[in-house]
Amino acid sequence: MKKIFFILLFLIPAAAMAGSPEGRIPKSQIASFISDYRHCEGVEVVKLGPLATGAVKGVIRVAAIKDDDAREARELMKGIRSLYVFDFSSCKPALRERISRRLTRIFRNTELLMEVTDEGDRMRIYGLYDERTDAVRDFVFFTPSDCALICLFGSISMDTVSRLMEND
C-alpha cells in the first residue's frame, strides 16, 4: 500500500507538468484579447478562419501556375489554418500602452523563438518548434513599437522556409 502511495505521489506532479501549457501559444487568450479590444477606436482587426484561409490558398494555387513567388507563398501557406492581424497604431497613447502591457502579460510564459531589434524597433517572434516534424507551429509576431500583432496558426515547415531563404 505504501508503495502505491509513493508511486501516485510521484506520478501526479509529473502528469500535471506533462500537460503544462508552459511555452505554448495561448490561442484562447489571444482570441479573448482580440475580442475585448476589436471595437476600440483606432483598432483594426483582420481575421481569416479556416474557410477564408482555404479561399486564400485557392487563389494562391491558381496564381502559382505562372508565378514563382506565388508558388513559394503556396508552399509557405500550406499548413496555415487561420490568421489574425491586430493593428492598434491609430489608438490613443494610453490605450496603446494598455494593449501593449496586456499582450506582454499574455506572452510572458510563451516560448520566444527570436527577438529582432532594428533602429530601436523590436519584433518578438513566438512559436513552438517541433523537432520530430521540423516545423514551427503557431507563429506570432508582436511588434510593440509598431503596435502590431500577427498570428499564423498552423504549422510551417522549416525545410520550406530554408528553401525560400536560399532562393532570395
Side-chain angles (χ1 to χ4, degrees):
M1 183 71 163
K2 286 183 184 179
K3 191 176 185 179
I4 292 173
F5 176 75
F6 284 113
I7 290 172
L8 285 175
L9 201 62
F10 173 75
L11 287 178
I12 290 171
M17 289 183 72
S20 171
E22 187 75 24
R24 296 179 188 217
I25 301 298
K27 293 183 211 174
S28 62
Q29 285 182 330
I30 292 170
S32 175
F33 162 81
I34 290 173
S35 178
D36 290 347
Y37 287 97
R38 76 177 310 130
H39 301 293
C40 291
E41 186 177 332
V43 170
E44 295 181 36
V45 177
V46 175
K47 177 187 175 190
L48 299 179
L51 185 62
T53 305
V56 169
K57 289 177 188 177
V59 169
I60 292 173
R61 188 177 309 117
V62 170
I65 294 171
K66 297 181 181 179
D67 186 6
D68 290 337
D69 290 338
R71 208 170 293 126
E72 291 173 358
R74 184 187 74 194
E75 282 299 310
L76 203 57
M77 289 288 294
K78 190 184 292 185
I80 301 299
R81 293 184 314 275
S82 61
L83 171 122
Y84 288 94
V85 177
F86 184 87
D87 180 357
F88 56 104
S89 60
S90 299
C91 294
K92 292 182 179 175
L95 181 57
R96 279 198 311 255
E97 183 61 32
R98 194 168 74 228
I99 289 172
S100 287
R101 276 196 316 269
R102 184 161 173 203
L103 284 170
T104 300
R105 278 194 311 270
I106 287 172
F107 294 118
R108 186 177 347 186
N109 295 323
T110 304
E111 185 175 340
L112 180 66
L113 293 177
M114 182 186 310
E115 185 171 58
V116 179
T117 304
D118 182 37
E119 298 178 14
D121 292 338
R122 268 189 325 184
M123 176 187 286
R124 298 177 190 142
I125 303 171
Y126 300 94
L128 295 171
Y129 177 68
D130 186 351
E131 291 179 21
R132 290 181 298 112
T133 61
D134 193 35
V136 176
R137 289 181 296 136
D138 302 335
F139 266 112
V140 175
F141 302 90
F142 175 43
T143 310
S145 56
D146 288 338
C147 303
L149 174 73
I150 301 170
C151 305
L152 301 169
F153 295 127
S155 65
I156 296 175
S157 165
M158 291 310 294
D159 288 338
T160 302
V161 172
S162 63
R163 273 197 322 270
L164 293 175
M165 293 174 100
E166 287 173 4
N167 292 339
D168 286 340

